[in-house]
Amino acid sequence: MSFAAPLFLWYFLPAVLLAHWILPVRFRNAIIAVFSIAFYAVGGKEFVLLLLTMMVVNYAAGLAIGRARAADRTRGLTSPKGILVATVAGDLAVLAIWKYLGFASVAIDQLGRALGGSGSPVIELALPIGISFFTFHHLSYVVDVYRGTRTPMRNPLTFATYIAMFPQLIAGPIVRYHEIADQLRNQHHDRWGDFVEGFPRFAWGLFKKVVIADSLATVADTAFATSDPTFTTAWVGALAYTGQIYFDFSGYSDMAIGLGMMFGLRLPENFRRPYSADSVTDFWRRWHMSLSRWFRDYLYIPLGGNRGGRTATYRNLSIVFLATGLWHGAAWTFVLWGAYHGALLIFERATGLAKVEGYVVVRRAVTFVLVVFGWVLFRAADLDEFTKMAGAMLVPDGLTLPALGLAPELLTSTAPHEWVLLAVVPMLVLLPGTFVMGRVIDGLDGTSPRRQLTARLVALCSSPYAALAAVAGGFSPFLYFQF
């Protein structure tokens, strides 16, 4: 179920809010847990059984780790480490089977044929919606309990609220257990005040998704579908997708954070003006920050981080970004996209470019171009499509008007307002890197009450148009639903 769908906006959300307001505040977690399972069942259908099974296993594992820690067991399968290893292996096995088994079978088949064999069976499995996100939440839970960062949840409904919380279940932000454990246990909050605070953030995210991202999607889809794109068509498509994925995913994150606020829960920020970054290293401090923090805490640092010297650091960065690419999807394009960003980070670290000061406009422009080029690889359906688009972007087929002009499909299918929105995308580079609209709406960046009020009014005034567009069917699924 999409946050921008009429079913969610006009039926599901009012129903869960009404239950939250009518019932005593101590029932908050139970309400969220029950409605969240229903929310997933609508979109995930039979895969809700997979989600519930993983929840039962990890809930029991958390309790077992807690008991083993209290008993001071140090060895064997019943030790905290033994239980952790078994649980993590099980969670990763589920993710590997449902998300990567098909990709692996295709790769094995292609390799066999390349070596002169007859090939092998190709496995096709439907991808459970949001599996990457709720798997990472389960892993965070058992690891945090094992580390003693937080105690295990005793109440199964409280645990279900953390894992299945509908604001972040499908596409994040990825909430590490230790970030929200205390909030889940503390159910004393101002319900009306929470709604007043959270709704403008939700409305702002809805506007970003329905009005901006979905408009840019039309331009991007048309450009990428062009059989022989010109230099200009390829760059227009790349810029359109650059804007689409940012406003789509950050819009979802704003909506999720706003929904969390309505129930008295503070979810972590996920974006901080990423296209204002002055290096690729800085970009990853601003883009999908909850994923970056997760990989830092549960993969990069356990691998040794930057403590083992330059070679070990580069190795760890490579592993993390290959994992980042694979996390996004089971395809060679995602693997290469992760390797591309990992290579850029290693280059910046090796040369010291990430710490260079001055020339801010130039550094931002170069970073933006590198990120845009990476998004072409991320968006491409396969390596052939990437080669087609990248070739047109890098090597214009002559300097004549036909070679540099726009494809006729773009000229006939793109509305005037979509061209205006497209022109705004490169201008994001020029905005102050510290100005984040969501944090202004929330009043978390120390802005004056007047500025905060203005931002909230902008969000609220834009929401009716976005809601009407959603009712008219002018929305598409969030891009990160596929991950």
Side-chain angles (χ1 to χ4, degrees):
M1 190 190 309
S2 171
F3 290 166
L7 176 62
F8 179 86
L9 291 173
W10 308 122
Y11 298 98
F12 181 87
L13 183 57
V16 67
L17 285 173
L18 185 62
H20 176 59
W21 290 334
I22 290 177
L23 296 176
V25 70
R26 66 178 181 276
F27 290 110
R28 180 196 63 179
N29 290 346
I31 293 168
I32 295 176
V34 171
F35 274 90
S36 294
I37 297 300
F39 173 86
Y40 189 82
V42 170
K45 299 182 173 60
E46 65 273 11
F47 288 119
V48 71
L49 298 177
L50 177 65
L51 172 62
L52 290 172
T53 301
M54 291 185 68
M55 288 169 58
V56 170
V57 170
N58 282 268
Y59 170 72
L63 293 177
I65 291 172
R67 287 194 296 267
R69 284 177 55 86
D72 197 24
R73 298 174 187 164
T74 58
R75 294 183 181 181
L77 294 176
T78 59
S79 68
K81 187 173 183 179
I83 300 169
L84 173 70
V85 170
T87 307
V88 169
D91 289 339
L92 293 179
V94 170
L95 183 62
I97 291 171
W98 290 103
K99 189 166 184 175
Y100 302 111
L101 185 59
F103 172 60
S105 69
V106 171
I108 293 171
D109 175 65
Q110 292 173 341
L111 178 61
R113 293 179 186 277
L115 296 175
S118 60
S120 59
V122 173
I123 300 171
E124 295 183 3
L125 294 174
L127 180 67
I129 188 170
I131 188 171
S132 295
F133 288 93
F134 63 71
T135 299
F136 271 29
H137 283 115
H138 282 119
L139 292 173
S140 173
Y141 175 74
V142 292
V143 172
D144 282 356
V145 171
Y146 169 76
R147 290 174 175 175
T149 308
R150 289 293 186 276
T151 58
M153 290 288 184
R154 303 292 176 183
N155 188 325
L157 287 175
T158 305
F159 175 76
T161 303
Y162 165 59
I163 298 297
M165 189 192 317
F166 73 88
Q168 50 82 44
L169 173 61
I170 304 299
I174 299 174
V175 185
R176 294 166 295 174
Y177 174 56
H178 64 264
E179 292 178 309
I180 202 168
D182 294 339
Q183 296 184 57
L184 291 172
R185 291 186 173 100
N186 179 18
Q187 300 189 38
H188 300 287
H189 54 98
D190 177 8
R191 285 179 285 191
W192 175 246
D194 292 336
F195 176 80
V196 170
E197 186 176 23
F199 185 77
R201 185 73 182 267
F202 175 84
W204 176 240
L206 180 66
F207 178 82
K208 289 166 72 174
K209 162 61 180 172
V210 175
V211 178
I212 304 178
D214 286 353
S215 296
L216 292 172
T218 303
V219 182
D221 291 345
T222 303
F224 274 83
T226 304
S227 58
D228 188 20
T230 64
F231 174 81
T232 307
T233 298
W235 274 100
V236 164
L239 287 173
Y241 186 70
T242 298
Q244 179 196 357
I245 193 169
Y246 168 67
F247 285 107
D248 187 285
F249 192 22
S250 69
Y252 180 95
S253 296
D254 284 330
M255 296 171 79
I257 292 169
L259 287 169
M261 288 180 177
M262 293 183 203
F263 297 98
L265 298 169
R266 292 281 183 177
L267 304 184
E269 293 291 335
N270 220 15
F271 291 88
R272 188 167 59 86
R273 191 67 63 195
Y275 295 149
S276 295
D278 54 20
S279 67
V280 178
T281 302
D282 188 33
F283 172 79
W284 280 101
R285 296 190 185 110
R286 298 168 175 270
W287 176 273
H288 202 175
M289 297 187 296
S290 64
L291 179 66
S292 298
R293 289 188 293 258
W294 196 98
F295 273 118
R296 179 197 65 197
D297 289 354
Y298 302 114
L299 184 58
Y300 182 68
I301 292 176
L303 285 172
N306 56 4
R307 301 189 302 272
R310 182 172 296 183
T311 301
T313 298
Y314 297 163
R315 178 203 63 202
N316 296 339
L317 283 172
S318 299
I319 293 172
V320 166
F321 275 89
L322 284 173
T324 300
L326 272 173
W327 180 89
H328 281 86
W332 289 116
T333 50
F334 292 114
V335 174
L336 293 176
W337 175 77
Y340 169 76
H341 274 275
L344 290 175
L345 262 72
I346 291 172
F347 176 77
E348 289 183 349
R349 184 179 287 263
T351 59
L353 287 175
K355 297 181 180 180
V356 171
E357 297 182 358
Y359 307 102
V360 175
V361 174
V362 175
R363 285 159 47 213
R364 282 189 179 183
V366 171
T367 301
F368 182 71
V369 170
L370 291 172
V371 170
V372 170
F373 193 79
W375 285 137
V376 177
L377 184 57
F378 190 92
R379 166 62 173 78
D382 49 41
L383 293 179
D384 289 338
E385 186 172 75
F386 168 70
T387 302
K388 175 192 72 175
M389 292 291 290
M393 292 171 69
L394 296 175
V395 185
D397 187 15
L399 299 177
T400 61
L401 184 60
L404 296 176
L406 285 170
E409 300 95 313
L410 273 176
L411 292 173
T412 56
S413 64
T414 304
H417 78 278
E418 293 170 347
W419 288 115
V420 173
L421 293 173
L422 180 64
V424 170
V425 174
M427 295 174 62
L428 295 174
V429 179
L430 304 176
L431 292 174
T434 56
F435 179 83
V436 182
M437 184 68 168
R439 291 180 63 82
V440 174
I441 293 174
D442 299 341
L444 298 177
D445 64 346
T447 56
S448 65
R450 178 178 297 179
R451 187 180 181 189
Q452 181 185 351
L453 178 61
T454 301
R456 289 191 174 193
L457 288 175
V458 169
L460 291 172
C461 291
S462 63
S463 61
Y465 178 77
L468 289 174
V471 170
F475 71 93
S476 59
F478 288 94
L479 293 176
Y480 266 65
F481 276 14
Q482 61 186 302
F483 307 136

